[in-house]
Amino acid sequence: MPELDPLYTADEMRTAEARYPGFPATASELMERAGAQAAAVAEHECIGALRWTVVCGGGSNGGDGRIMARILESTGKDVRVVDATAGEAELGNPDVIVDALFGTGFTGTPRADAAGLIERMNASPARVFAIDLPSGVDASTGEVAGAAVRADATVTFHGRKVGLIVAPGRFHAGSVHVADIGLDHVETAARLATPDLLKSVPRRREGDNKYTAGHVLVVGGSRGLTGAPSLSALAAMRADAGYVTVAAPESLLPVLEQRLLESVKRPLPEDDGSLAAGAADTVVELAAKAAAVALGPGLGRGDRARQLVARVLGELELPVVVDADALYELEPASWPGPRVLTPHEGELARLLGRDSKQIAAHRLASVREAAERFDCIVLLKGADTLVAAPGGSIIVVSLGLPSLATAGTGDVLTGIIGAFLAKGMEPRLAAAAGTVAQQRASVEAPQRAGLVASDLIDALPRVLG
């Protein structure tokens, strides 16, 4: 799909190189191009820098660095080449350090001597420019097992590597520049979403009515948590759903009536503030008229809430996006319809029985494991939001701003995905496109500091327009 750019693993890059005419005899030709491209990008990034130190390892990445050093020297730069294979470690006093220590083939933890050299690069006041990806970052996963270079900028060849986009590797890369060295593209298991993915979202057409434009049922809310379902409902409306019904405990309806003008409110039976036994019956009845369900925002974690979640997921054939409290103590089951789970790292840790730090360190592997275990689409939220499908395919969405790190933005995402599911989008693409819309709204919103979740809702019509 043109709306999805390739993200390469080390093996996929080796496949692309192997298809180059005459390879491996022509490997030196590719290396010469890579070194020249690296020099050109680095000079543009570091205008006015005169003193350069190029730290070279023994592989092809080091070869790229040596070619880059030769070209920089030919333009009058003062260039020092540090040969890590010979144990050299003196960096000098450069304006720029070029990291050409490890390339895409690196995995695991750097040896002690290499780790020490990496730490020296990180401690230097000079700008750091990485070739292909920062040394110490796994190109195929983004994992960082030990010392890793923190670059100000990275030039990568042919296409972006997974490790430059997926955390924690993304936090080491700085600004990323892609340089063409003449390779043909190959199919990749991971793809990077572009804003063009929103073109695939169905819009209201002539002849639509409020139901055929997409009817979303939002199920959630509990005492003190009326904001979450309100945000989801408003986001679904602004994401172009034609009709939104909110099912919430009966005592919350006066609050929801004040907050939600356009949505229809339906009471769920409750007992002293907690959901009563008949709540699930009501939700199943309401879902008969809906096209998708957004389940969980502010729902609470009591026994009745868990029973409601289990029944909704176990009986409804229509698509359900599952968020927040609906994820609590969720177990894999054979569900009759499409399901999209939308955990953050802490929620995914609970689903997999792990620590959240383990999830953060192994984001790609964790979301793939969850997609296989629950046999559905799993969306792991973050600066690099990962959308995984059973079978291993991944869509990465990395289009937003740090301002998204605020309460309620996940509820907004749930509403958007619910709207896109109600419009008939395939669940994997609905999840990815919903994330694109949410993240682009963070860019369109006038706030940078102090953004709140409702600011995203206000920006959605411009994003989708």
Side-chain angles (χ1 to χ4, degrees):
M1 295 178 65
E3 302 90 355
L4 302 173
D5 290 339
L7 285 174
Y8 286 88
T9 63
D11 284 343
E12 289 159 351
M13 274 303 300
R14 282 190 279 270
T15 298
E17 291 168 349
R19 293 180 182 177
Y20 186 74
F23 192 86
T26 51
S28 59
E29 186 178 307
L30 292 175
M31 190 178 293
E32 194 71 33
R33 286 184 197 159
Q37 289 276 23
V41 174
E43 284 197 278
H44 184 268
E45 273 285 305
C46 308
I47 295 172
L50 298 176
R51 300 184 305 276
W52 297 68
T53 294
V54 184
V55 180
C56 297
S60 59
N61 195 247
D64 297 339
R66 288 178 174 86
I67 293 168
M68 178 182 177
R70 187 194 73 216
I71 293 171
L72 289 172
E73 198 166 36
S74 72
T75 63
K77 305 295 190 298
D78 179 4
V79 180
R80 175 195 294 245
V81 175
V82 174
D83 185 354
T85 63
E88 296 177 8
E90 181 54 52
L91 300 179
N93 186 31
D95 301 311
V96 181
I97 295 172
V98 177
D99 166 30
L101 189 57
F102 300 135
T104 55
F106 171 83
T107 59
T109 305
R111 297 187 306 272
D113 55 345
L117 194 49
I118 289 171
E119 295 299 345
R120 288 187 186 91
M121 286 191 265
N122 287 341
S124 170
R127 294 199 70 192
V128 178
F129 183 88
I131 294 183
D132 219 11
L133 79 162
S135 294
V137 174
D138 189 309
S140 302
T141 65
E143 295 180 7
V144 176
V149 166
R150 290 193 174 273
D152 297 290
T154 300
V155 60
T156 196
F157 307 120
H158 180 56
R160 286 176 174 81
K161 312 306 182 291
V162 173
L164 294 172
I165 303 298
V166 175
R170 66 174 287 122
F171 302 127
H172 290 255
S175 59
V176 176
H177 308 265
V178 179
D180 181 9
I181 56 172
L183 299 177
D184 291 332
H185 288 294
V186 299
E187 285 298 312
T188 61
R191 307 294 294 276
L192 182 65
T194 74
D196 283 346
L197 187 57
L198 295 179
K199 295 177 181 177
S200 63
V201 178
R203 302 300 199 271
R204 295 182 216 179
R205 298 164 295 182
E206 188 176 3
D208 268 336
N209 59 48
K210 58 189 177 184
Y211 300 107
T212 62
H215 179 182
V216 181
L217 172 62
V218 178
V219 182
S222 56
R223 285 183 180 176
L225 295 174
T226 56
S230 298
L231 288 169
S232 294
L234 287 167
M237 293 295 289
R238 289 298 191 188
D240 205 43
Y243 199 96
V244 175
T245 300
V246 180
E250 186 170 13
S251 63
L252 305 184
L253 261 58
V255 177
L256 296 174
E257 290 284 9
Q258 293 290 323
R259 290 183 167 182
L260 302 172
L261 298 180
E262 295 86 0
S263 302
V264 174
K265 278 71 68 178
R266 291 288 182 260
L268 296 180
E270 62 176 300
D271 181 11
D272 193 27
S274 299
L275 291 173
D281 293 330
T282 302
V283 171
V284 170
E285 181 182 342
L286 292 171
K289 295 182 179 180
V293 176
L295 177 64
L299 185 64
R301 297 180 177 180
D303 290 340
R304 295 295 189 191
R306 289 194 293 275
Q307 292 167 12
L308 183 151
V309 169
R311 185 168 172 199
V312 167
L313 295 180
E315 290 188 18
L316 300 185
E317 295 183 4
L318 71 167
V320 182
V321 54
V322 187
D323 186 31
D325 292 332
L327 295 167
Y328 186 68
E329 295 187 353
L330 187 66
E331 293 291 338
S334 179
W335 293 319
R339 307 292 182 249
V340 179
L341 312 186
T342 62
H344 53 58
E345 287 175 353
E347 291 164 336
L348 187 58
R350 286 192 293 272
L351 290 174
L352 295 179
R354 306 275 169 74
D355 182 270
S356 59
K357 291 181 180 179
Q358 291 178 290
I359 304 298
H362 309 284
R363 285 176 60 81
L364 202 64
S366 298
V367 73
R368 279 183 166 144
E369 179 183 347
E372 295 298 333
R373 181 178 178 187
F374 287 88
D375 194 27
C376 67
I377 304 301
V378 178
L379 181 156
L380 176 57
K381 291 180 277 200
D384 53 308
T385 292
L386 308 180
V387 179
S393 68
I394 294 279
I395 299 176
V396 184
V397 187
S398 182
L399 296 166
L401 297 175
S403 55
L404 280 169
T406 186
T409 55
D411 302 311
V412 171
L413 178 61
T414 296
I416 300 170
I417 294 173
F420 291 176
L421 289 171
K423 289 174 173 294
M425 288 191 77
E426 185 269 321
R428 185 180 72 128
L429 290 183
T435 308
V436 170
Q438 180 226 35
Q439 292 190 3
R440 290 302 299 168
S442 75
V443 177
E444 285 290 328
Q447 296 83 0
R448 291 296 180 266
L451 179 137
V452 296
S454 56
D455 297 329
L456 302 178
I457 297 171
D458 293 339
L460 278 174
R462 293 195 297 278
V463 170
L464 296 173

